[in-house]
Protein backbone atom coordinates (compact mmCIF):
# COMPACT_ATOMS: atom_id res chain seq x y z
CA UNK A 1 0.00 0.00 0.00
CA UNK A 2 3.02 2.31 -0.15
CA UNK A 3 3.83 3.71 -3.53
CA UNK A 4 7.21 4.93 -4.68
CA UNK A 5 7.47 8.69 -4.42
CA UNK A 6 10.40 10.29 -6.23
CA UNK A 7 10.25 13.24 -3.82
CA UNK A 8 10.69 10.99 -0.77
CA UNK A 9 8.41 10.55 2.21
CA UNK A 10 6.31 7.57 3.14
CA UNK A 11 3.65 8.05 0.43
CA UNK A 12 0.88 5.68 1.46
CA UNK A 13 -1.71 5.26 -1.30
CA UNK A 14 -4.71 7.59 -1.13
CA UNK A 15 -7.41 6.85 1.44
CA UNK A 16 -9.64 4.66 -0.66
CA UNK A 17 -7.18 3.32 -3.23
CA UNK A 18 -7.24 -0.32 -2.17
CA UNK A 19 -4.84 -1.57 -4.83
CA UNK A 20 -1.17 -2.39 -5.02
CA UNK A 21 0.64 0.56 -6.62
CA UNK A 22 2.62 -0.15 -9.80
CA UNK A 23 5.86 1.04 -8.15
CA UNK A 24 5.96 0.18 -4.50
CA UNK A 25 8.16 1.42 -1.73
CA UNK A 26 9.48 -1.17 0.69
CA UNK A 27 8.54 -0.75 4.36
CA UNK A 28 9.75 -2.60 7.42
CA UNK A 29 6.74 -3.55 9.53
CA UNK A 30 8.79 -3.40 12.73
CA UNK A 31 9.77 0.22 12.00
CA UNK A 32 6.13 1.12 11.34
CA UNK A 33 5.05 -0.63 14.55
CA UNK A 34 7.77 1.21 16.56
CA UNK A 35 6.64 4.51 15.03
CA UNK A 36 2.99 3.85 15.98
CA UNK A 37 3.92 2.91 19.56
CA UNK A 38 6.05 6.07 19.84
CA UNK A 39 3.11 8.16 18.60
CA UNK A 40 0.76 6.71 21.23
CA UNK A 41 3.41 7.18 23.94
CA UNK A 42 3.88 10.81 22.83
CA UNK A 43 0.12 11.39 23.06
CA UNK A 44 -0.05 10.07 26.63
CA UNK A 45 3.03 12.05 27.70
CA UNK A 46 1.59 15.33 26.38
CA UNK A 47 -2.05 14.71 27.44
CA UNK A 48 -1.81 13.65 31.08
CA UNK A 49 -5.60 14.01 31.43
CA UNK A 50 -5.97 10.96 29.19
CA UNK A 51 -4.23 8.77 31.78
CA UNK A 52 -5.77 10.46 34.84
CA UNK A 53 -9.36 9.50 34.01
CA UNK A 54 -11.10 7.43 36.64
CA UNK A 55 -12.98 5.44 34.02
CA UNK A 56 -10.78 4.68 31.02
CA UNK A 57 -12.19 5.01 27.50
CA UNK A 58 -13.73 1.80 26.20
CA UNK A 59 -14.07 0.39 22.72
CA UNK A 60 -16.73 -2.05 21.51
CA UNK A 61 -17.26 -3.77 18.19
CA UNK A 62 -20.72 -4.64 16.88
CA UNK A 63 -22.92 -4.13 13.89
CA UNK A 64 -24.38 -0.63 13.86
CA UNK A 65 -27.74 -2.29 13.17
CA UNK A 66 -27.79 -3.68 16.72
CA UNK A 67 -26.55 -1.43 19.52
CA UNK A 68 -28.51 -3.30 22.19
CA UNK A 69 -25.44 -3.14 24.45
CA UNK A 70 -26.09 0.64 24.72
CA UNK A 71 -29.02 1.95 26.80
CA UNK A 72 -31.55 4.28 25.15
CA UNK A 73 -30.92 8.05 25.48
CA UNK A 74 -27.37 7.55 26.73
CA UNK A 75 -25.18 9.07 23.99
CA UNK A 76 -24.23 12.74 23.49
CA UNK A 77 -22.84 12.57 19.97
CA UNK A 78 -22.50 10.07 17.11
CA UNK A 79 -20.02 10.30 14.25
CA UNK A 80 -20.68 7.80 11.48
CA UNK A 81 -19.13 7.07 8.10
CA UNK A 82 -21.39 4.42 6.56
CA UNK A 83 -20.46 2.44 3.43
CA UNK A 84 -21.16 4.26 0.15
CA UNK A 85 -23.46 1.87 -1.75
CA UNK A 86 -21.51 -0.55 -3.92
CA UNK A 87 -18.25 1.42 -3.94
CA UNK A 88 -16.23 -0.86 -1.67
CA UNK A 89 -16.64 -4.36 -0.23
CA UNK A 90 -15.05 -3.82 3.15
CA UNK A 91 -15.60 -7.37 4.45
CA UNK A 92 -13.75 -8.74 1.40
CA UNK A 93 -10.97 -6.15 1.73
CA UNK A 94 -10.50 -6.96 5.42
CA UNK A 95 -10.63 -10.74 5.22
CA UNK A 96 -6.85 -11.23 5.51
CA UNK A 97 -6.25 -9.31 8.74
CA UNK A 98 -9.65 -10.23 10.19
CA UNK A 99 -8.61 -13.88 9.75
CA UNK A 100 -5.37 -13.15 11.60
CA UNK A 101 -7.47 -11.62 14.41
CA UNK A 102 -9.80 -14.65 14.38
CA UNK A 103 -13.01 -12.61 13.96
CA UNK A 104 -14.32 -11.94 10.47
CA UNK A 105 -17.11 -9.48 9.53
CA UNK A 106 -20.64 -10.87 9.65
CA UNK A 107 -21.49 -10.28 6.01
CA UNK A 108 -25.25 -10.75 6.66
CA UNK A 109 -25.19 -7.45 8.58
CA UNK A 110 -22.77 -5.67 6.24
CA UNK A 111 -24.34 -2.50 4.85
CA UNK A 112 -23.44 -2.69 1.17
CA UNK A 113 -24.98 -3.03 -2.29
CA UNK A 114 -23.62 -6.29 -3.71
CA UNK A 115 -24.85 -7.12 -7.20
CA UNK A 116 -22.04 -9.64 -7.81
CA UNK A 117 -23.85 -12.37 -5.90
CA UNK A 118 -27.46 -13.58 -6.12
CA UNK A 119 -29.40 -12.51 -3.03
CA UNK A 120 -29.72 -16.22 -2.08
CA UNK A 121 -25.91 -16.31 -1.78
CA UNK A 122 -25.46 -13.07 0.17
CA UNK A 123 -25.94 -10.47 -2.59
CA UNK A 124 -27.70 -7.25 -1.56
CA UNK A 125 -29.95 -4.91 -3.52
CA UNK A 126 -30.22 -1.14 -3.04
CA UNK A 127 -33.39 -1.88 -1.09
CA UNK A 128 -31.52 -4.24 1.28
CA UNK A 129 -28.85 -1.56 1.70
CA UNK A 130 -31.48 1.04 2.60
CA UNK A 131 -33.14 -1.30 5.11
CA UNK A 132 -29.83 -2.02 6.88
CA UNK A 133 -28.95 1.69 6.90
CA UNK A 134 -32.40 2.44 8.35
CA UNK A 135 -31.81 -0.13 11.14
CA UNK A 136 -28.49 1.55 11.95
CA UNK A 137 -30.05 5.05 12.01
CA UNK A 138 -32.93 3.75 14.13
CA UNK A 139 -30.41 2.51 16.65
CA UNK A 140 -28.59 5.85 16.52
CA UNK A 141 -31.84 7.70 17.21
CA UNK A 142 -32.67 5.32 20.08
CA UNK A 143 -29.32 5.72 21.87
CA UNK A 144 -28.99 9.50 21.36
CA UNK A 145 -29.97 11.87 24.13
CA UNK A 146 -32.83 14.21 23.16
CA UNK A 147 -31.43 17.12 21.13
CA UNK A 148 -28.07 15.42 20.60
CA UNK A 149 -26.41 15.49 17.17
CA UNK A 150 -25.03 13.04 14.65
CA UNK A 151 -22.46 13.76 11.94
CA UNK A 152 -22.67 11.60 8.82
CA UNK A 153 -19.85 11.38 6.26
CA UNK A 154 -21.14 10.25 2.90
CA UNK A 155 -20.27 10.34 -0.75
CA UNK A 156 -21.65 8.70 -3.87
CA UNK A 157 -21.94 9.77 -7.50
CA UNK A 158 -25.25 7.87 -7.86
CA UNK A 159 -28.34 9.83 -6.78
CA UNK A 160 -30.19 6.55 -6.07
CA UNK A 161 -27.66 5.76 -3.35
CA UNK A 162 -28.10 9.26 -1.90
CA UNK A 163 -31.88 8.71 -1.94
CA UNK A 164 -31.40 5.42 -0.06
CA UNK A 165 -29.39 7.25 2.62
CA UNK A 166 -31.97 10.03 2.95
CA UNK A 167 -34.88 7.55 3.06
CA UNK A 168 -33.06 5.59 5.77
CA UNK A 169 -32.40 8.70 7.87
CA UNK A 170 -35.98 9.92 7.23
CA UNK A 171 -37.52 6.64 8.36
CA UNK A 172 -35.45 6.79 11.54
CA UNK A 173 -36.39 10.44 12.11
CA UNK A 174 -32.74 11.51 11.95
CA UNK A 175 -32.62 13.30 8.61
CA UNK A 176 -29.33 15.22 8.33
CA UNK A 177 -29.27 18.96 7.92
CA UNK A 178 -27.63 18.95 4.50
CA UNK A 179 -26.73 22.63 4.75
CA UNK A 180 -24.16 21.78 7.37
CA UNK A 181 -23.33 18.29 6.12
CA UNK A 182 -21.26 19.19 3.05
CA UNK A 183 -17.51 19.15 3.09
CA UNK A 184 -14.91 18.46 0.42
CA UNK A 185 -15.68 14.73 0.76
CA UNK A 186 -19.44 15.06 0.68
CA UNK A 187 -21.63 16.48 -2.03
CA UNK A 188 -25.36 16.46 -1.53
CA UNK A 189 -27.43 16.10 -4.73
C1 LIG B 1 -16.81 4.33 4.53
S1 LIG B 1 -16.14 3.05 5.57
C2 LIG B 1 -15.69 3.88 7.02
C3 LIG B 1 -14.22 3.93 7.14
C4 LIG B 1 -13.74 4.54 8.46
N1 LIG B 1 -14.36 5.83 8.73
C5 LIG B 1 -12.23 4.68 8.41
O1 LIG B 1 -11.74 5.80 8.25
O2 LIG B 1 -11.56 3.65 8.49
C6 LIG B 1 -17.58 2.18 6.06
C7 LIG B 1 -17.31 1.14 7.15
O3 LIG B 1 -18.56 0.61 7.62
C8 LIG B 1 -18.36 -0.75 7.94
N2 LIG B 1 -19.66 -1.43 8.03
C9 LIG B 1 -20.38 -2.06 7.07
N3 LIG B 1 -21.51 -2.57 7.57
C10 LIG B 1 -21.51 -2.27 8.90
C11 LIG B 1 -22.41 -2.51 9.97
N4 LIG B 1 -23.54 -3.20 9.79
N5 LIG B 1 -22.08 -2.04 11.20
C12 LIG B 1 -20.95 -1.33 11.40
N6 LIG B 1 -20.05 -1.06 10.43
C13 LIG B 1 -20.34 -1.52 9.19
C14 LIG B 1 -17.44 -1.25 6.85
O4 LIG B 1 -16.79 -2.45 7.23
C15 LIG B 1 -16.48 -0.07 6.71
O5 LIG B 1 -15.40 -0.23 7.60
Amino acid sequence: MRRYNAYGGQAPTDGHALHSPARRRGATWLEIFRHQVAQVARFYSTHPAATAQTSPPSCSVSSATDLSWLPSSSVDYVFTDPPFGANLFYADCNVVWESWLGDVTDTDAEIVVNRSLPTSAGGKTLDDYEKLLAQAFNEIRRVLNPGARTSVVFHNADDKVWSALLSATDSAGTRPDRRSACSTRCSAP
Side-chain angles (χ1 to χ4, degrees):
M1 298 294 291
R2 276 161 194 264
R3 66 186 156 199
Y4 171 73
N5 178 354
Y7 302 102
Q10 291 300 311
T13 54
D14 294 339
H16 287 92
L18 295 176
H19 57 76
S20 298
R23 285 184 297 162
R24 279 171 284 147
R25 184 180 191 281
T28 314
W29 70 266
L30 196 54
E31 285 306 311
I32 295 171
F33 184 68
R34 276 202 191 106
H35 176 72
Q36 302 295 351
V37 170
Q39 266 193 324
V40 173
R42 203 163 51 244
F43 168 78
Y44 281 106
S45 67
T46 53
H47 296 78
T51 46
Q53 289 183 26
T54 45
S55 62
S58 69
C59 176
S60 300
V61 180
S62 77
S63 172
T65 53
D66 177 10
L67 303 179
S68 50
W69 49 276
L70 271 176
S72 300
S73 309
S74 63
V75 170
D76 292 327
Y77 175 69
V78 170
F79 177 90
T80 182
D81 183 6
F84 312 147
N87 283 8
L88 275 173
F89 296 93
Y90 292 96
D92 291 2
C93 294
N94 292 336
V95 78
V96 173
W97 44 87
E98 285 185 348
S99 305
W100 291 338
L101 295 170
D103 190 7
V104 295
T105 296
D106 170 9
T107 47
D108 285 348
E110 188 183 12
I111 304 171
V112 73
V113 179
N114 184 349
R115 298 187 198 90
S116 313
L117 294 171
T119 44
S120 55
K124 292 203 179 100
T125 62
L126 188 63
D127 204 36
D128 297 326
Y129 169 77
E130 183 184 317
K131 280 186 189 134
L132 286 164
L133 265 185
Q135 279 176 35
F137 280 106
N138 263 305
E139 279 295 78
I140 289 174
R141 192 206 46 199
R142 181 185 66 76
V143 301
L144 276 181
N145 280 319
R149 283 181 171 262
T150 300
S151 299
V152 182
V153 179
F154 200 75
H155 174 73
N156 202 289
D158 182 343
D159 62 344
K160 292 193 193 72
V161 176
W162 271 103
S163 297
L165 172 81
L166 294 178
S167 301
T169 53
D170 265 354
S171 75
T174 55
R175 186 166 191 155
D177 172 359
R178 282 183 283 160
R179 284 166 305 173
S180 62
C182 293
S183 69
T184 48
R185 244 186 106 190
C186 155
S187 54

